[in-house]
């Protein structure tokens, strides 16, 4: 299965809902506009985005005299793609670079770190993985397994060590080795815990001060969490001043619209999306390709 096919398969649930309003012979009438807005809201894009996109398409349809629903499918993909902020730089390819991965437990941080490390090695980029999740059982061991698969060194400390101190040591070790890319896996944090978020803010602050490389803080978000994912992202962004997002588990059970809602509302670019378990299923995000897979092809 190719990359585009994987993406289409991953967004199947969202696309099926949108396809219902683009049936053959459908007219662009008031019912169509109501159905479109409702479908976008139910697809986790949020009321604000849904209203804005629907209003803009309504104006376009009137301006260009588009009277059939199918004539608006491609226009919808382009309009949705415009909601995503563009990334100024890709911290995983624009090296040297140091990236801190944050997010709640289970979002896929460790797996994502391993996949990105493997990609870096394949591209000939010298990479070091840092294990700053020192509290979760087997977290270090899991990261070491991924490091072995990727052929990348993993810098860790004993379980229970202070995460900020671990990050300091990881950066120092990476500098000694002349690493071009440093990927640091942090412990999962509940966005509802002020104490844990303050501790994570300390981790980010220490890393930013110590590291001589450009430091990016990337939130790994699970698409299956739906609108709760938006609340998570907002809390992490308020506490840490995020640089961007990686959206995981777009595997057919998630509504793809949550990726748009988070990115658009918080003004954060999406660097990668995960649509499966293999390394190849972690894809560089392309807004238009994503939205075309979300909207579907014309008949």
């Amino acid at each position: 299965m190719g990359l585009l096919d994987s993406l289409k398969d991953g967004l199947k649930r969202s696309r099926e809902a949108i396809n219902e309003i683009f049936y053959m012979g459908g007219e662009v009438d008031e019912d169509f506009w109501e159905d479109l807005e409702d479908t976008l809201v139910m697809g986790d894009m949020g009321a604000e985005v849904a209203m804005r996109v629907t209003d803009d398409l309504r104006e376009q349809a009137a301006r260009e005299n588009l009277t059939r629903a199918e004539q608006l499918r491609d226009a919808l993909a382009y309009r949705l793609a415009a909601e995503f902020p563009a990334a100024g730089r890709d911290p995983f390819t624009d090296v040297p670079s140091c990236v801190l991965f944050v997010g709640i437990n289970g979002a896929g941080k460790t797996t994502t770190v391993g996949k990105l490390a493997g990609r870096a090695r394949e591209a000939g980029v010298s990479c070091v993985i840092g294990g700053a999740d020192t509290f979760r059982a087997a977290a270090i061991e899991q990261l070491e397994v991924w490091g072995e698969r990727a052929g990348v060194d993993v810098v860790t400390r004993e379980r229970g060590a202070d995460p900020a101190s671990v990050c300091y040591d990881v950066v120092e070790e990476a500098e000694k080795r002349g690493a071009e890319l440093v990927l640091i896996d942090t412990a999962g944090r509940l966005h509802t815990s002020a104490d844990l978020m303050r501790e994570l803010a300390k981790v980010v602050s220490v890393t930013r001060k110590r590291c001589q490389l450009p430091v990016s803080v990337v939130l790994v978000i699970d698409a299956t969490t739906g609108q709760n994912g938006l609340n998570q992202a907002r809390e992490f962004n308020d506490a840490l001043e995020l640089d961007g997002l990686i959206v995981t588990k777009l595997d057919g059970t998630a509504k793809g619209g949550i990726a748009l809602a988070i990115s658009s509302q918080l003004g954060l670019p999406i660097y990668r999306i995960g649509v499966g378990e293999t390394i190849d299923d972690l894809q560089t995000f392309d807004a238009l390709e994503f939205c075309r897979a979300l909207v579907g092809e014309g008949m």
Side-chain angles (χ1 to χ4, degrees), residues 144-164:
E144 288 175 335
V145 168
W146 272 106
E148 186 175 342
R149 288 180 187 171
V152 173
D153 288 339
V154 180
V155 179
T156 63
R157 293 295 178 264
E158 68 279 0
R159 189 175 176 188
D162 176 63

Side-chain angles (χ1 to χ4, degrees), residues 212-284:
Q212 297 178 10
L213 310 180
V215 176
S216 298
V217 182
V218 175
L219 174 67
V220 179
I221 195 91
D222 177 351
T224 63
T225 58
Q227 283 297 309
N228 186 47
L230 178 58
N231 297 329
Q232 290 176 29
R234 186 174 284 116
E235 294 293 337
F236 274 96
N237 192 42
D238 288 345
L240 308 175
E241 298 181 6
L242 299 171
D243 293 287
L245 307 165
I246 291 177
V247 182
T248 63
K249 304 183 184 180
L250 284 164
D251 58 357
T253 61
K255 297 177 183 177
I258 192 59
L260 189 153
I262 296 172
S263 180
S264 176
Q265 291 193 37
L266 300 185
L268 294 170
I270 298 176
Y271 297 125
R272 300 288 187 276
I273 53 174
V275 294
E277 296 299 322
T278 71
I279 288 180
D280 289 338
D281 289 326
L282 185 66
Q283 305 175 19
T284 299

Side-chain angles (χ1 to χ4, degrees), residues 19-27 68-70 73 298-299:
N19 271 336
E20 290 186 12
I21 65 172
F22 284 110
Y23 60 89
M24 185 174 289
E27 295 183 2
R68 314 304 296 180
E70 192 58 41
R73 189 190 291 269
M299 295 180 179

Side-chain angles (χ1 to χ4, degrees), residues 43-262:
D44 280 339
M45 294 182 194
E48 184 179 329
V49 169
M51 291 174 62
R52 185 165 60 240
V53 169
T54 302
D55 288 346
D56 286 354
L57 280 183
R58 187 193 289 261
E59 291 180 9
Q60 182 178 348
R63 187 171 61 248
E64 299 178 8
N65 193 30
L66 304 176
T67 60
R68 314 304 296 180
E70 192 58 41
Q71 293 174 297
L72 284 167
R73 189 190 291 269
D74 206 42
L76 176 59
Y78 273 94
R79 183 58 191 81
L80 290 174
E83 288 289 319
F84 289 98
R89 66 181 287 266
D90 185 332
F92 304 110
T93 58
D94 296 341
V95 295
S97 182
C98 174
V99 184
L100 280 162
F101 294 80
V102 301
I104 67 170
N105 281 328
K109 293 187 302 300
T110 302
T111 300
T112 298
V113 169
K115 290 178 179 180
L116 287 166
R119 284 282 180 83
R121 184 176 180 277
E122 289 174 0
V125 175
S126 57
C127 178
V128 167
I129 295 174
D133 184 354
T134 59
F135 297 103
R136 182 170 61 91
I140 293 175
E141 289 82 358
Q142 182 186 4
L143 197 63
E144 288 175 335
V145 168
W146 272 106
E148 186 175 342
R149 288 180 187 171
V152 173
D153 288 339
V154 180
V155 179
T156 63
R157 293 295 178 264
E158 68 279 0
R159 189 175 176 188
D162 176 63
S165 297
V166 173
C167 288
Y168 188 100
D169 292 345
V170 169
V171 170
E172 190 170 72
E173 185 64 29
E175 287 180 355
K176 290 178 181 177
R177 302 183 186 196
E180 299 170 276
L181 180 62
V182 185
L183 306 175
I184 302 179
D185 183 26
T186 69
R189 288 287 182 265
L190 286 174
H191 57 292
T192 53
S193 171
D195 288 342
L196 292 176
M197 292 302 285
R198 277 194 294 270
E199 182 180 276
L200 188 55
K202 176 187 174 185
V203 169
V204 172
S205 177
V206 166
T207 305
R208 282 176 170 158
K209 288 178 181 177
R210 173 63 184 82
C211 192
Q212 297 178 10
L213 310 180
V215 176
S216 298
V217 182
V218 175
L219 174 67
V220 179
I221 195 91
D222 177 351
T224 63
T225 58
Q227 283 297 309
N228 186 47
L230 178 58
N231 297 329
Q232 290 176 29
R234 186 174 284 116
E235 294 293 337
F236 274 96
N237 192 42
D238 288 345
L240 308 175
E241 298 181 6
L242 299 171
D243 293 287
L245 307 165
I246 291 177
V247 182
T248 63
K249 304 183 184 180
L250 284 164
D251 58 357
T253 61
K255 297 177 183 177
I258 192 59
L260 189 153
I262 296 172

